[in-house]
Amino acid sequence: MTTALRQLLAGAPEDAAPRLLGSYLVSTVDDDLVRVRLTEVEAYKGADDPASHAHGGETPRNSSMFSQPGTLYVYRSYGVHWCANSATGPIGTGWGILMRAGEIVEGEGVVVRRRGRRTDLVNGPGKLTQALGILGDHNGIDLLDPGSPVRLEEGPAPGLVMATPRIGISRAQDLHWRFVETHPVGSGG
DNA sequence: AGGATGATGGACT
DNA sequence: GTCCATCATCCTA
């Protein structure tokens, strides 16, 4: 059932983002399954948010983020990498959650091959999409459809969650809408 | 461990 | 022409 996720993504991104941590982002691309547990996400709140791609309203590029919650929005970053978001909130708001990093639960061998290295496999938004085989072609697909090549599934709830300013942006630094799962001090990890 | 930098495409002025 | 929701590589310590 994706009911809980659907419920979650129906809400505001700054509320949904921290609770999305721990969920699985799963892809089946070229017959290879990769499962990543999300540990770092950021909220972007459409027209209200000067740092959001949706701030200036709907365009052909960002239209996926204005679609129904759970729609995958993929864009090219710095001309080189792909980054993946899930639309959240009511249709037409342009709200979304950028999925930045995680930990590989399944398919590490596939990721090593796709990434061409054995370290730093999924610790950044461009790396995450490359690890999962997400391309611009996947823009607009439904992450809540179990039949989609890229999809979200429920996972174990996160432990401690830390909120910080978002990475790589200069506007709206006062909004602490980057959410990272952290380990308690002394837990030895 | 951490700073600088080139690559590269699309949106915007 | 300029600005990016970045990454890998090359340096200095």
Side-chain angles (χ1 to χ4, degrees):
Chain A
M1 285 294 240
T2 55
T3 306
L5 277 173
R6 194 176 297 280
Q7 192 79 248
L8 180 63
L9 295 177
E14 71 273 29
D15 297 326
R19 296 166 59 200
L20 188 64
L21 292 173
S23 300
Y24 296 123
L25 185 59
V26 189
S27 74
T28 309
V29 173
D30 297 330
D31 283 332
D32 288 316
L33 177 75
V34 174
R35 176 183 304 268
V36 171
R37 184 172 174 273
L38 294 174
T39 59
E40 180 181 347
V41 298
E42 287 177 358
Y44 286 89
K45 204 168 183 180
D48 300 336
D49 181 356
S52 170
H53 288 177
H55 182 233
E58 185 172 354
T59 67
R61 176 206 197 191
N62 63 25
S63 66
S64 298
M65 236 183 342
F66 288 81
S67 187
Q68 68 172 331
T71 301
L72 178 64
Y73 165 48
V74 183
Y75 69 93
R76 198 184 278 280
S77 169
Y78 293 90
V80 186
H81 305 100
W82 298 105
C83 292
N85 301 246
S86 172
T88 72
I91 290 176
T93 56
W95 296 350
I97 296 172
L98 171 66
M99 297 175 280
R100 290 186 56 88
E103 53 196 20
I104 299 170
V105 173
E106 207 173 336
E108 176 156 353
V110 175
V111 175
V112 167
R113 171 162 51 76
R114 285 186 180 145
R115 296 272 295 114
R117 62 186 61 249
R118 304 195 58 85
T119 61
D120 296 330
L121 293 174
V122 286
N123 60 340
K127 305 176 193 182
L128 180 67
T129 54
Q130 188 184 16
L132 288 158
I134 297 173
L135 302 172
D137 296 342
H138 294 115
N139 183 45
I141 69 172
D142 183 2
L143 291 168
L144 298 179
D145 179 351
S148 289
V150 185
R151 55 209 181 269
L152 284 167
E153 297 176 6
E154 290 176 46
L160 278 179
V161 176
M162 178 173 63
T164 78
R166 292 167 292 182
I167 299 293
I169 61 169
S170 52
R171 323 189 76 76
Q173 298 265 339
D174 53 313
L175 299 175
H176 290 196
W177 281 355
R178 170 176 176 253
F179 303 97
V180 188
E181 180 179 22
T182 62
H183 303 290
V185 174
S187 69

